[in-house]
Amino acid sequence: MKFFLTTAIDFVNSRPHLGTAYEKITADVIARYRRLAGFDTHFLMGNDEHSQNVFRKAIEQGKDPLAYCDEMEQVFRDVWRRLDLSFDDFIRTTDQKRHKPAVQAMAQACLDNGDVYEGSYEGFYCVGCEAFKQEKDLVEGNCPIHNTKPQWIREKNWFFRLSKYQQPLLKHYEQHPTFIQPDIRRNEILRLVEGGLEDISMSRAGQSWGISVPFDPSSVVYVWFDALINYAAAVGYGWDDALFKKWWPANLHIVGKDITRFHCVIWPAMLMSAKVELPGQVFGHGWVYFKGERMSKTMGNIVDPLDAADRFGPDPLRLYLAKEIPYGGDGDFTWERFEEKYNADLANNLGNLVNRVASMTERYQGGRVAATGGGALAAIAAHSVAAYRTAMDVHALHDGAAAAFRLVSAANNYIAETQPWALAKDPSKAGQLNGALADTAEAVRIAAVLLSPIMPASSAEILRRLGDDRAQRDRRLDADTAWRTSGEKQILNTGALWPRIEADKGVVSVSDETPKAPEAPAAPAAPAVITIDDFMKAHLKVARILEAEKVPKSQRLLKLKVDAGEAEPRTILAGIAESYEPEALIGKSVVIVANLAPRKMMGQESNGMVLAASPEGGAAIVLNAEPATPGTRVR
Ligand code: MSP
């Protein structure tokens, strides 16, 4: 069975950010899940280029618009590659071979069906939204989304008879109750359409940046009418009937909640008019906020997904976004919560489990286990697999991820209960010892298969250590999540997958507590008591900040040059950028750990660490008692 899914295509006037990446990552999880479940999957992404904002941005930079879009394609592809997105196709709306003929064919089909007429438009147009606004929707004369004054436009336009489709759309929603998901969006759209639909403008006069209207070369097709057609254009509409037949209708359009109206009302009406089958479902996901606020350039709080991906690999970010935000609702991202979840789910839970089973198997059985029955753990695994499937089939990614992690926790508990380290002391219990290790390894294997759509590279690595180095495309949900009761395997013990992130933020060290001694409890312990001698090993000094600047592409790091009473100033990277403007720190005295091993972060070396108290966002402890001579020891 085929499964064709798409994401919104992005405006290219700025780089991808965490919000746009959220959509692509979650869609990628769905695509990978469908492939694992055996569907012949086609995953489409792309760029939306015929926007006035894009055109302006290019001109501002003194570039030819198409050349600018070519450059941005590379920027987008590079980010998507670093987030491990597995799209099968990528379409651009300036594509002349596929997109242009499709747009012209659909515009013509709508005209031929009597749904396009010429008129003149007068009204407000918000360039930020690329949409016409009704006066009642403005707040103090401004677009409520962009807080800017829309332009008053008066021009000749071609109109699409959207009003004609009110009843057919309502009928379609009724006959296909899951056409719009989640239900909250479905209800919003139902109310909107029940309230009546007005015809919409489908062209803009006197512009050159766009696809010309086939029956009026003096106009270009309105950017949204143009963009929506990408989904059909990519798979052959208007240029390859056989291909179109193979993939259309799309099974699933994944879009943000701000653009469901375009996808649930205008797009299906266009398709009805052009006599093309409607997609199976439009899923309107929620928004990701940063510390509760909308990310925006003016707020200066745009999170670059590569900040996380370049430090930890893409998987911890992918897991956070899929697991911590109920899919369909809004969610929040903060570095504190990201690090907390990383430590809890990856360093302490899954990572610890992989290490424990591998190191104990190595220590007690030369790295080999022979599969046995499974017992209670096998039953939990079967239950987790079933819950995972039920959730993933309806895109409840958070529930799917949680089901997989229930199995991980159960396997950690199973180790605590069976106590392999105690069994190992008694040669008569060799069978039980092997059983405990083999069962745990089998549970880890199944959990890794379940997590493979969310954390592809990490799951592949875990499976490799467990002796399965097949390509992911060769794995199947049914066969590969069934408990295996026979066979022997070698387990590789090759080190920590996810070193803990230490509380000083920014500094990551390979945790020494990763169980070299497997009997160590998995739960995080209370801080150990230390002696004064232990404390004195840390050389704390007063340092004065001479220079401070943001680290490019990092939301949190500041690069400081400090005078620590030494021959030369030293450079320290501190995770405090969310709390200070760099200039405000110059001349301030702080306490540093002076004898910390140098560490590289974001490609730069840090020599020491600034002490910070961090309820939110890393606030350095700034000394008030002046003058604190740089170099003074703190104890
Ligand atoms: N070009 C249009 C879509 C055309 S589809 C035929 C567009 N582009 S966009 O670049 O502004 O947004 C792309 C997608 O990212 C949209 O689905 C949008 O909802 C989503 N998001 C943008 N910011 C977001 C968050 N902060 N959080 C989650 N998704 C967000 O709209």
Side-chain angles (χ1 to χ4, degrees):
M1 254 217 310
K2 68 102 185 160
F3 195 87
F4 173 30
L5 78 159
T6 68
T7 63
I9 52 173
D10 295 345
F11 288 132
V12 294
N13 45 323
S14 53
R15 290 173 58 82
H17 57 72
L18 187 69
T20 40
Y22 170 67
E23 174 175 292
K24 312 310 182 229
I25 287 174
T26 51
D28 186 61
V29 172
I30 296 172
R32 287 178 184 270
Y33 170 71
R34 292 289 161 166
R35 289 190 199 106
L36 182 65
F39 287 85
D40 184 10
T41 303
H42 192 62
F43 175 25
L44 171 70
M45 290 181 21
N47 283 349
D48 190 354
E49 303 176 321
H50 287 138
S51 150
Q52 280 304 302
N53 291 312
V54 173
F55 182 79
R56 280 206 207 130
K57 188 78 179 216
I59 301 302
E60 239 170 68
Q61 296 190 2
K63 287 177 182 152
D64 165 64
L66 189 57
Y68 170 82
C69 292
D70 290 346
E71 274 173 30
M72 289 307 277
E73 179 190 13
Q74 295 317 315
V75 170
F76 274 73
R77 279 182 182 271
D78 179 54
V79 174
W80 301 149
R81 181 182 56 76
R82 284 151 80 177
L83 296 174
D84 212 355
L85 301 185
S86 63
F87 52 90
D88 300 292
D89 190 8
F90 193 90
I91 185 148
R92 298 175 46 185
T93 54
T94 50
D95 180 322
Q96 299 293 302
K97 283 207 203 76
R98 303 194 289 169
H99 191 67
K100 187 177 174 191
V103 170
Q104 294 192 325
M106 197 166 284
Q108 188 68 47
C110 294
L111 177 84
D112 294 346
N113 197 28
D115 288 336
V116 175
Y117 62 93
E118 201 175 4
S120 73
Y121 186 87
E122 200 166 339
F124 289 110
Y125 190 82
C126 170
V127 183
C129 295
E130 289 284 17
F132 294 99
K133 296 271 155 180
Q134 293 189 7
E135 197 155 4
K136 68 174 167 55
D137 296 329
L138 304 180
V139 177
E140 291 174 0
N142 283 348
C143 161
I145 298 172
H146 293 89
N147 204 20
T148 49
K149 230 174 223 358
Q151 298 167 3
W152 182 260
I153 280 175
R154 186 181 301 139
E155 64 186 29
K156 182 189 84 173
N157 270 186
W158 292 92
F159 282 83
F160 174 68
R161 238 179 261 285
L162 185 63
S163 56
K164 172 174 152 190
Y165 290 94
Q166 182 197 25
Q167 289 312 320
L169 283 169
L170 289 172
K171 191 161 153 221
H172 188 82
Y173 305 152
E174 193 189 319
Q175 288 175 344
H176 303 84
T178 57
F179 176 66
I180 306 168
Q181 282 294 297
D183 283 339
I184 178 174
R185 313 267 176 260
R186 176 179 151 82
N187 294 335
E188 279 163 13
I189 296 292
L190 274 177
R191 274 198 303 275
L192 180 96
V193 177
E194 279 162 1
L197 295 173
E198 286 181 15
D199 293 348
I200 55 162
S201 164
M202 57 157 288
S203 71
R204 298 293 313 273
Q207 293 187 4
S208 56
W209 185 236
I211 295 174
S212 54
V213 174
F215 37 85
D216 173 12
S218 73
S219 295
V220 295
V221 176
Y222 167 53
V223 61
W224 269 98
F225 200 93
D226 163 333
L228 288 162
I229 298 170
N230 88 85
Y231 305 126
V235 292
Y237 179 77
W239 61 274
D240 185 338
D241 291 344
L243 186 66
F244 192 60
K245 214 163 161 217
K246 172 167 185 209
W247 291 111
W248 197 259
N251 298 71
L252 177 64
H253 291 315
I254 300 280
V255 299
K257 64 176 184 180
D258 53 323
I259 58 171
T260 44
R261 189 171 61 91
F262 292 98
H263 286 81
C264 301
V265 182
I266 299 177
W267 177 227
M270 286 163 63
L271 290 169
M272 284 176 183
S273 172
K275 306 206 182 325
V276 177
E277 211 178 327
L278 266 50
Q281 184 174 92
V282 178
F283 189 95
H285 61 75
W287 273 51
V288 183
Y289 295 87
F290 177 61
K291 290 187 177 172
E293 278 173 358
R294 200 188 140 114
M295 281 177 260
S296 78
K297 277 219 189 98
T298 35
M299 297 278 293
N301 64 350
I302 290 179
V303 179
D304 185 338
L306 297 182
D307 265 5
D310 288 353
R311 280 173 66 197
F312 307 108
D315 288 352
L317 179 68
R318 293 174 59 108
L319 178 66
Y320 180 94
L321 295 175
K323 180 163 173 282
E324 302 309 322
I325 303 175
Y327 204 43
D330 290 336
D332 200 35
F333 181 89
T334 66
W335 284 103
E336 286 72 21
R337 225 169 112 65
F338 172 73
E339 294 184 357
E340 187 190 305
K341 287 290 157 192
Y342 170 104
N343 280 339
D345 285 336
L346 296 175
N348 292 348
N349 201 2
L350 181 57
N352 198 20
L353 178 65
V354 172
N355 277 336
R356 292 175 106 196
V357 71
S359 63
M360 286 193 284
T361 305
E362 178 176 63
R363 189 195 273 200
Y364 304 136
Q365 318 204 131
R368 299 195 75 77
V369 288
T372 58
L377 198 51
I380 294 175
H383 199 265
S384 293
V385 170
Y388 170 90
R389 295 185 79 135
T390 307
M392 297 296 281
D393 283 344
V394 294
H395 327 309
L397 312 182
H398 52 296
D399 287 337
F405 270 90
R406 276 201 297 280
L407 178 57
V408 173
S409 301
N412 259 322
N413 292 339
Y414 183 77
I415 295 185
E417 281 158 24
T418 52
Q419 304 197 350
W421 52 91
L423 297 172
K425 291 191 182 124
D426 182 350
S428 74
K429 300 206 166 130
Q432 271 170 276
L433 172 62
N434 171 71
L437 295 174
D439 288 354
T440 310
E442 183 61 1
V444 177
R445 188 190 65 75
I446 293 173
V449 174
L450 298 184
L451 288 170
S452 60
I454 302 173
M455 303 200 296
S458 312
S459 295
E461 173 59 14
I462 294 172
L463 290 166
R464 187 187 70 82
R465 292 181 185 195
L466 296 173
D468 174 358
D469 54 9
R470 288 172 303 162
Q472 179 62 17
R473 65 173 174 279
D474 295 332
R475 298 201 178 99
R476 284 293 167 271
L477 195 54
D478 280 332
D480 287 297
T481 57
W483 192 275
R484 293 181 187 156
T485 54
S486 62
E488 229 197 36
K489 66 177 160 237
Q490 180 82 33
I491 300 180
L492 306 175
N493 182 21
T494 39
L497 282 162
W498 295 285
R500 271 186 70 82
I501 305 176
E502 302 301 345
D504 60 59
K505 305 171 91 285
V507 177
V508 183
S509 64
V510 174
S511 166
D512 289 332
E513 318 96 339
T514 35
K516 283 190 200 95
E519 39 286 88
V529 172
I530 57 167
T531 65
I532 185 77
D533 290 340
D534 289 331
F535 173 70
M536 292 304 283
K537 282 188 200 153
H539 197 99
L540 306 181
K541 291 210 255 188
V542 172
R544 182 165 295 142
I545 298 176
L546 305 173
E547 291 173 28
E549 62 181 74
K550 293 210 148 129
V551 173
K553 291 212 238 132
S554 169
Q555 199 70 42
R556 303 166 43 250
L557 287 181
L558 285 187
K559 181 176 176 181
L560 308 175
K561 191 161 267 181
V562 302
D563 172 6
E566 297 155 331
E568 297 269 5
R570 56 161 96 195
T571 302
I572 296 185
L573 301 179
I576 55 175
E578 285 161 2
S579 301
Y580 298 99
E581 284 308 317
E583 304 74 49
L585 282 170
I586 293 168
K588 294 274 185 315
S589 294
V590 290
V591 177
I592 63 163
V593 185
N595 59 337
L596 203 65
R599 255 221 117 85
K600 266 205 154 172
M601 284 179 270
M602 305 291 293
Q604 312 215 29
E605 191 172 275
S606 179
N607 290 284
M609 185 180 108
V610 173
L611 292 195
S614 78
E616 268 279 343
I621 303 173
V622 174
L623 298 179
N624 289 320
E626 293 290 340
T629 314
T632 309
R633 180 123 193 224
V634 177
R635 53 185 89 192

